[in-house]
């Protein structure tokens, strides 16, 4: 069983067109899949679930869709509080908080406070997140430490891979073991670039709103058959 599963939930728009609906209906249906997958992750003893809800590139979508995704985030975190409580899910946003409108950040931070002591699943919602942003932001934090050291007349503190990881949004969290992407595309789209260095990839043509427990189990079955060597010879 993977400890950490990451998901790129793609295909909401295509699911909506297939059903003669507008794109917003696709995102609403996607929310149902997300709830089902969170509950299944808890049932399976998965410890961390990271989901890509809004990327740094999604700002380039039409303004009305951006607004809908923003308000869906705000209403979902409040509306799903019962799900978080019932399943002991700890919610946290990973991404650029300075880019999140105040009326969306408020509910996000309220949900983080309310769920902080839950223990069964860490749900990381990557929102206003980009893998390149995460790495550059981490480099900036390290740069500031060097600058402060220089002001004290001290050398820049040396750093290794583990040390650098502590500046990333995922500080202290084990890297994803399994990365799932729905919707047929086979790319990483600026998701957890650093953190997926050794993730097993699972791509499926299923559109996100159709990805439910059974499809999640198929991804877990595929993962169970993988031979993870981490660059070594077994
Ligand atoms: C990709 O589908 C999906 C998104 C950009 C948004 C993901 C949001 C949800 C699943 C709803 C849950 C919401 C929150 C805020 C937690 P797409 O629109 O790129 O689909 P397409 O490739 O078919 O156009």
């Amino acid at each position: 069983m993977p400890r950490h599963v990451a998901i790129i939930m793609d295909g909401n728009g295509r699911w909506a067109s297939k059903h003669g609906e507008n794109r917003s209906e696709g995102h609403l249906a996607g929310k149902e899949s997300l709830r089902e997958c969170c509950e299944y992750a808890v049932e399976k003893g998965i410890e961390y679930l990271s989901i890509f809800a809004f990327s740094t590139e999604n700002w380039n979508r039409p303004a009305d869709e951006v607004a809908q995704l923003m308000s869906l985030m705000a209403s979902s975190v409040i509306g799903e509080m019962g799900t978080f409580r019932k399943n002991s899910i700890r919610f946290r946003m990973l991404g650029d908080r300075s880019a999140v409108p105040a009326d969306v950040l408020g509910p996000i931070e309220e949900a983080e406070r309310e769920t902080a002591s839950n223990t069964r699943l860490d749900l990381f919602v990557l929102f206003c997140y980009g893998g390149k942003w995460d790495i550059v932001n981490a480099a900036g934090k390290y740069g500031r430490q060097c600058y402060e050291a220089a002001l004290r007349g001290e050398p820049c503190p040396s750093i290794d891979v583990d040390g650098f990881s502590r500046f990333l949004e995922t500080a202290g969290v084990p890297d994803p073991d399994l990365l799932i992407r729905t919707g047929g595309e086979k790319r990483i789209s600026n998701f957890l670039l650093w953190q997926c260095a050794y993730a097993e990839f699972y791509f499926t043509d299923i559109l996100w709103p159709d990805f439910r427990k059974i499809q999640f189990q198929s991804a877990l079955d595929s993962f169970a058959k993988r031979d993870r060597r981490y660059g070594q010879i077994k």
Side-chain angles (χ1 to χ4, degrees), residues 41-185:
V42 169
E43 197 181 316
K44 288 282 151 180
I46 291 164
E47 295 166 69
Y48 310 92
L49 185 65
S50 294
I51 54 120
F52 209 2
F54 192 88
S55 74
T56 46
E57 289 74 26
N58 286 154
W59 287 112
N60 300 321
R61 291 193 175 201
D64 60 339
E65 183 165 346
V66 170
Q68 195 239 337
L69 287 168
M70 289 291 149
S71 77
L72 185 60
M73 179 71 174
S75 61
S76 301
V77 288
I78 301 300
E80 296 301 328
M81 214 63 92
T83 309
F84 298 152
R85 201 173 306 116
K86 189 173 83 188
N87 298 283
S88 193
I89 295 171
R90 180 160 54 190
F91 167 90
R92 212 169 94 207
M93 176 198 141
L94 305 185
D96 183 3
R97 287 172 196 247
S98 70
V100 182
D103 59 338
V104 181
L105 193 59
I108 287 175
E109 294 189 336
E110 189 187 325
E112 290 179 328
R113 280 191 300 275
E114 290 275 321
T115 64
S117 54
N118 291 348
T119 54
R120 292 194 70 188
L121 174 75
D122 274 298
L123 172 64
F124 299 125
V125 175
L126 284 87
F127 193 70
C128 300
Y129 178 88
K132 288 187 178 183
W133 168 84
D134 197 1
I135 295 167
V136 167
N137 191 49
K141 290 183 195 168
Y142 175 57
R144 269 192 299 280
Q145 280 200 352
C146 288
Y147 174 71
E148 282 159 17
L151 289 180
R152 295 191 301 268
E154 292 167 10
C156 182
S158 65
I159 197 163
D160 59 8
V161 166
D162 287 340
F164 188 79
S165 319
R166 285 193 279 275
F167 292 115
L168 295 166
E169 288 291 284
T170 45
V173 177
D175 284 344
D177 303 292
L178 171 63
L179 169 69
I180 299 172
R181 181 173 187 142
T182 63
E185 313 290 0

Side-chain angles (χ1 to χ4, degrees), residues 189-207:
S189 296
N190 201 14
F191 193 32
L192 293 159
L193 297 180
W194 172 287
Q195 296 86 342
C196 284
Y198 271 100
E200 295 293 329
F201 285 25
Y202 179 85
F203 297 108
T204 170
D205 290 338
I206 307 267
L207 304 173

